[in-house]
Amino acid sequence: MKLAALALAVVLVSLLPEIASAQAVEDPAVNACKNTGLLALRERSPDITDLVMDMESLAISKADTKVEDVAIKTVILGEAYIARKEKTGKPDRFVCLLGDKGKVLLTFFTAQ
């Protein structure tokens, strides 16, 4: 019985690095939204130091639509934490629209 429990523990521990690395993989679209959003936020408020995306809250949807003649290929909705001088407040909701070739067309943040 102890041998079976030990074997199970060894198997579970060996799987941990794979599980952790799978969760750490970031989507290039999310990175583009984060970087563009951070630049836009810093233009309005230079005290912003970072933008942390809540990866578990993200909804990434492929799209095939247009706003007038601009193609929308991906829509990302979720929550992000805006850090100001090493303080991070409550999460803000955001929307990010991406067009052809992953170009960020819009990032929009709103307090909950």
Side-chain angles (χ1 to χ4, degrees):
M1 186 68 155
K2 289 183 180 181
L3 185 58
L6 181 61
L8 179 60
V10 169
V11 169
L12 290 175
V13 169
S14 69
L15 291 176
L16 285 177
E18 292 178 26
I19 294 168
S21 66
Q23 292 175 348
V25 174
E26 290 190 27
D27 188 311
V30 174
N31 286 334
C33 288
K34 176 185 174 178
N35 294 335
T36 303
L38 184 56
L39 287 173
L41 289 168
R42 281 184 176 163
E43 282 181 14
R44 291 188 300 162
S45 185
D47 66 329
I48 293 175
T49 57
D50 198 8
L51 180 62
V52 179
M53 304 297 219
D54 180 354
M55 300 304 285
E56 292 182 13
S57 75
L58 296 185
I60 304 170
S61 302
K62 298 296 178 192
D64 188 18
T65 189
K66 290 186 175 188
V67 174
E68 293 194 7
D69 62 343
V70 179
I72 308 295
K73 298 297 182 181
T74 306
V75 177
I76 300 178
L77 306 166
E79 294 179 349
Y81 294 85
I82 299 172
R84 290 178 173 86
K85 296 185 181 176
E86 299 182 23
K87 289 185 179 181
T88 303
K90 294 180 181 178
D92 289 278
R93 290 190 179 147
F94 75 92
V95 175
C96 182
L97 302 178
L98 293 101
D100 290 324
K101 299 180 184 176
K103 180 181 177 185
V104 176
L105 304 171
L106 170 83
T107 55
F108 181 80
F109 295 86
T110 184
Q112 291 191 25

